Amino acid sequence: MSYASYDNKTFSFGDIKIVVDYIKTLAPSDAVAFVSSGYDVTGLKLWPATKALCRYILENQEKFQKRKILELGSGAGLSGLLVSHFCETVLLTDGNDECLELLGRNINANIDKTKDSNVGCQKLEWGKDIDFYKTKFPELFDVILGADIIYSAESIPLLLKTVKELLKPSGFFLLVYVSRSTDLDKVLERHLEQSFDLKDESQNGVNIRILYLTHK
């Protein structure tokens, strides 16, 4: 694919600086290819919910300290790289091979190669790789993060099955996404209420939802 604008940017969070490559805009030919073939490049962009998740992490650092974290649909990896400054370990995952390649580059650009890194990167397809992850990480994860990973009703059951199986009984799932459809919101909440207790931490007047979820 030939991207119209492939950007490299340094994001500053106080004393923390994170450099990431990401797709700023897509070439018309790529948009056409996506529509016609279903080839998903959405994870290569930075979406508004990612920045909202970063703000939440900065404002609630204590929730992530000494935690083992799994991020789903990491994309370019900005929020995962930020939380790595506060947690014990973080595993950035995506189901898209292009995103995984980008994640690897961005991780390498930000880790201190003179020290052991607390950041990992691995493929995870929702609903398909659960047994592998439960075997590899038998203690499961204290926190699961997801930013702008809600796009279709069909993907919700697979997402929530993955979270339910990989989240510790005492852990929490933080889901941040742009509310684009009230119908989709209702479908999501109907599925959530079956397995999770929900605390809505969204800000009034903002269409970005921040859901703090724990096992029932």
Side-chain angles (χ1 to χ4, degrees):
M1 304 190 93
S2 57
Y3 300 108
S5 179
Y6 195 68
D7 204 12
N8 176 275
K9 184 174 180 179
T10 299
F11 293 85
S12 297
F13 304 95
D15 294 334
I16 300 171
K17 297 188 184 302
I18 298 172
V19 181
V20 295
D21 288 343
Y22 66 102
I23 301 303
K24 192 170 185 179
T25 58
L26 294 176
S29 60
D30 295 330
V32 171
F34 173 59
V35 171
S36 62
S37 68
Y39 183 82
D40 188 357
V41 294
T42 54
L44 302 177
K45 290 172 60 67
L46 287 180
W47 298 95
T50 298
K51 296 175 183 178
L53 176 55
C54 288
R55 287 193 297 271
Y56 186 96
I57 291 168
L58 286 175
E59 293 168 1
N60 299 274
Q61 298 174 23
E62 70 285 352
K63 292 183 179 180
F64 306 100
Q65 290 174 354
K66 299 181 180 180
R67 305 287 188 177
K68 294 180 179 179
I69 297 178
L70 171 69
E71 185 176 43
L72 303 176
S74 296
L78 179 62
S79 50
L81 287 165
L82 176 61
V83 81
S84 72
H85 288 266
F86 309 110
C87 67
E88 181 177 331
T89 62
V90 59
L91 181 63
L92 280 58
T93 68
D94 209 286
N96 182 290
D97 290 335
E98 294 280 343
C99 289
L100 289 170
E101 182 181 343
L102 180 64
L103 271 174
R105 293 204 309 270
N106 286 339
I107 291 171
N108 286 333
N110 287 276
I111 62 172
D112 184 346
K113 295 180 177 60
T114 65
K115 302 178 181 178
D116 290 337
S117 174
N118 68 338
V119 185
C121 174
Q122 197 159 317
K123 187 169 188 175
L124 196 164
E125 295 185 79
W126 303 343
K128 295 182 180 180
D129 299 325
I130 293 174
D131 289 341
F132 169 80
Y133 273 78
K134 290 177 74 173
T135 300
K136 187 170 183 178
F137 305 98
E139 296 182 356
L140 306 180
F141 295 92
D142 301 299
V143 179
I144 297 180
L145 302 176
D148 246 343
I149 56 175
I150 300 295
Y151 285 95
S152 69
E154 293 76 18
S155 68
I156 291 173
L158 292 175
L159 166 64
L160 298 185
K161 176 178 174 58
T162 301
V163 173
K164 184 178 179 181
E165 294 288 336
L166 298 182
L167 182 66
K168 280 185 178 179
S170 60
F172 70 88
F173 172 37
L174 189 64
L175 177 63
V176 184
Y177 72 100
V178 175
S179 177
R180 299 176 174 89
S181 163
T182 55
D183 289 340
L184 187 59
D185 289 347
K186 291 177 182 177
V187 172
L188 173 63
E189 290 178 8
R190 188 164 63 246
H191 282 283
L192 286 173
E193 68 184 10
Q194 297 174 14
S195 303
F196 298 95
D197 290 321
L198 185 156
K199 180 182 178 183
D200 194 334
E201 299 194 9
S202 311
Q203 297 180 352
N204 292 332
V206 180
N207 71 334
I208 296 179
R209 302 197 69 192
I210 301 175
L211 305 182
Y212 183 98
L213 302 151
T214 54
H215 287 290
K216 281 187 177 293

